[in-house]
């Protein structure tokens, strides 16, 4: 059996050109779909303090923001920083206890070095929040350690993130919360002081 003949130089050039044109067409199509998808997404609303926001598995109400020399459990902040505390109420809208609330709030004007996820404290006993029970509204505090020497803004810009419930995911056929998206933004005046 004889091996197939080697492609000519012209055939190799033609194949490379076709591959390049195909790659450019795929990239252009991908960019066009991304722009179209972005235009189809609704604008993220700006909310006021106390306004309820449905964020997928949570209902969130922002109460206020403040800086403090101690965390809500009474411990002083180490390293010369301050506790940046965002007080809110959270309701677990699901049928099970959950501790998946760490991504529900994000700081938009955070300084470099700030942890992206806060530590949550339960207001009624000032302890670290372990889980929220179903259909129970709790007042909580999301706390970040604001680094010493970092400029403190007059207002704190935050974004609330929600998930979408899907009764059956495509892989396992099980219920799933997915498709994280921004559901609201807010600007909170940043006060000072200890516990509210």
């Amino acid at each position: 059996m004889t091996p197939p003949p080697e492609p000519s130089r012209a055939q190799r050039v033609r194949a490379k050109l076709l591959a390049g044109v195909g790659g450019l067409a795929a990239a252009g199509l991908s960019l066009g779909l991304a722009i179209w998808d972005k235009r189809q997404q609704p604008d993220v609303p700006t909310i006021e303090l106390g306004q309820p926001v449905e964020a997928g598995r949570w209902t969130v109400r922002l109460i206020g923001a403040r800086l403090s020399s101690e965390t809500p459990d009474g411990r002083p902040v180490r390293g010369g920083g301050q506790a940046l505390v965002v007080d809110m109420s959270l309701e677990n809208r699901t049928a099970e206890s959950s501790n998946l609330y760490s991504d529900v709030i994000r700081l938009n004007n955070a300084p470099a070095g700030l942890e992206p996820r806060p530590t949550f404290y339960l207001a009624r006993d000032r302890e670290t929040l372990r889980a929220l029970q179903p259909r129970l509204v709790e007042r909580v505090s999301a706390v970040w350690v604001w680094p010493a020497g970092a400029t403190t803004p007059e207002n704190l810009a935050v974004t609330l993130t929600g998930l979408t419930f899907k009764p059956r995911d495509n892989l396992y056929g099980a219920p799933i919360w997915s498709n994280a998206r921004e559901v609201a933004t807010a600007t909170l005046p940043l006060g000072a002081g200890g516990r509210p």
Side-chain angles (χ1 to χ4, degrees):
M1 194 170 206
T2 61
E6 288 285 323
S8 69
R9 184 170 190 266
Q11 289 173 323
R12 286 195 305 266
V13 168
R14 190 177 311 123
K16 287 181 181 179
L17 283 174
L18 286 174
V21 168
L24 285 174
L29 180 62
S30 176
L31 177 62
L33 287 174
I35 292 170
W36 182 81
D37 187 45
K38 187 71 174 170
R39 291 185 59 153
Q40 299 304 313
Q41 293 177 359
D43 290 334
V44 178
T46 300
I47 60 162
E48 301 294 326
L49 286 177
Q51 183 178 341
V53 176
E54 289 191 8
R57 68 171 77 219
W58 311 106
T59 299
V60 184
R61 278 182 209 264
L62 297 173
I63 298 168
R66 58 196 161 85
L67 286 170
S68 177
S69 59
E70 60 184 33
T71 56
D73 59 0
R75 296 181 186 175
V77 179
R78 294 182 183 164
Q82 296 185 71
L84 172 62
V85 182
V86 176
D87 296 309
M88 66 180 79
S89 71
L90 273 182
E91 178 187 2
N92 179 355
R93 300 175 61 219
T94 70
E96 298 177 344
S97 297
S98 177
N99 62 359
L100 301 175
Y101 38 76
S102 63
D103 289 330
V104 78
I105 187 168
R106 184 183 76 231
L107 300 180
N108 297 345
N109 52 350
L114 192 76
E115 288 292 323
R117 293 181 174 169
T119 302
F120 281 79
Y121 293 85
L122 192 57
R124 62 182 156 85
D125 62 8
R126 304 191 193 289
E127 294 296 325
T128 305
L129 182 59
R130 302 287 179 220
L132 283 175
Q133 307 307 316
R135 301 295 180 185
L136 182 63
V137 178
E138 290 279 11
R139 183 165 170 178
V140 301
S141 297
V143 180
W144 294 264
V145 175
W146 197 265
T151 304
T152 306
E154 290 182 19
N155 296 303
L156 191 66
V158 299
T159 297
L160 300 178
T161 304
L163 298 171
T164 302
F165 180 72
K166 190 174 183 182
R168 295 174 60 89
D169 76 334
N170 297 342
L171 188 57
Y172 298 108
I176 187 172
W177 287 91
S178 62
N179 192 24
R181 70 202 185 287
E182 295 180 356
V183 293
T185 61
T187 301
L188 311 175
L190 191 56
R195 299 171 182 156

